[in-house]
């Protein structure tokens, strides 16, 4: 484990995760929670910084793009799961929570789109490779799913948020399940 960069990275991830798990039981302030969030984000980065993107022809674009991609995907997917759980449990304040998450999800969506495009371009410099390589076809499938997620976000803002504010929490839960399945 200690002799390979990937092994060291994964060991660091495990250590940071254990630290977060132990400290989360005693954290009682917003500042403490924010500190743990910063450590959690830091724990996301060692694997992409030493993974297959590190050997990409456009090394710096691929590594930074993948790190930012992951830092945007995690709050989007994790936030969707938390707000969806909140909706299923019928908790109060769902309209406020869903509205705030909607803004966060929009920023994450834009970041994921930008970094995903940068990663695809760094690996496939010739656009014809989108149709002639397996990786290119995978990119096209991911692009299609990404567009469907954007459409779902648009529906969420136009239809689901007003329904949630009107006291229909299941509307968000249905959207969250569908969006999670697409993700």
């Amino acid at each position: 484990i200690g002799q390979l960069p990937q092994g060291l990275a994964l060991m660091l991830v495990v250590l940071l995760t254990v630290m977060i798990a132990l400290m989360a039981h005693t954290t009682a302030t917003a500042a403490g929670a924010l500190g743990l969030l910063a450590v959690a984000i830091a724990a996301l980065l060692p694997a992409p910084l030493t993974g297959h993107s590190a050997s990409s022809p456009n090394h710096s674009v691929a590594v930074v793009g993948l790190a930012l991609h992951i830092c945007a995907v995690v709050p989007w997917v994790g936030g969707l799961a938390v707000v969806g759980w909140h909706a299923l449990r019928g908790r109060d304040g769902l309209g406020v929570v869903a509205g705030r998450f909607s803004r966060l999800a929009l920023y994450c969506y834009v970041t994921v789109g930008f970094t995903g495009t940068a990663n695809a371009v760094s690996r496939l410099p010739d656009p014809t490779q989108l149709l002639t390589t397996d990786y290119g076809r995978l990119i096209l499938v991911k692009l299609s799913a990404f567009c469907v997620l954007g459409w779902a976000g648009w529906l969420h803002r136009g239809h689901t948020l007003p329904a949630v504010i009107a006291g229909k929490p299941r509307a968000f839960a249905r959207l969250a399940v569908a969006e999670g399945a697409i993700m």
Side-chain angles (χ1 to χ4, degrees):
I1 289 177
Q3 295 178 352
L4 296 173
Q6 293 86 356
L8 287 172
L10 292 176
M11 187 169 56
L12 181 60
V13 169
V14 169
L15 291 173
L16 290 173
T17 304
V18 168
M19 183 182 90
I20 293 166
L22 293 173
M23 293 180 74
H25 290 292
T26 59
T27 301
T29 65
L34 186 60
L36 289 178
L37 177 63
V39 174
I41 290 171
L44 293 172
L45 299 177
L49 293 177
T50 59
H52 66 278
S53 291
S55 62
S56 177
N58 295 321
H59 169 76
S60 58
V61 172
V63 170
V64 172
L66 183 59
L68 289 173
H69 197 75
I70 289 171
C71 287
V73 166
V74 168
W76 185 13
V77 175
L80 181 67
V82 169
V83 178
W85 180 255
H86 191 79
L88 286 174
R89 302 224 14 181
R91 301 285 183 166
D92 292 336
L94 180 61
V96 173
V97 171
R100 289 179 181 170
F101 172 71
S102 181
R103 285 189 297 278
L104 171 71
L106 178 60
Y107 290 121
C108 291
Y109 181 81
V110 170
T111 303
V112 166
F114 180 72
T115 57
T117 301
N119 279 326
V121 168
S122 74
R123 290 191 180 94
L124 299 175
D126 182 11
T128 61
Q129 291 177 318
L130 287 169
L131 299 172
T132 59
T133 65
D134 289 338
Y135 183 71
R137 287 186 287 274
L138 176 64
I139 294 297
L140 292 175
V141 170
K142 291 170 85 171
L143 177 62
S144 300
F146 184 74
C147 290
V148 171
L149 288 171
W151 178 70
W154 179 76
L155 283 178
H156 165 70
R157 286 178 174 264
H159 301 290
T160 307
L161 281 179
V164 167
I165 292 169
K168 299 176 184 171
R170 297 281 183 196
F172 186 87
R174 282 191 305 271
L175 180 77
V177 168
E179 193 172 344
I182 294 166
M183 287 177 172

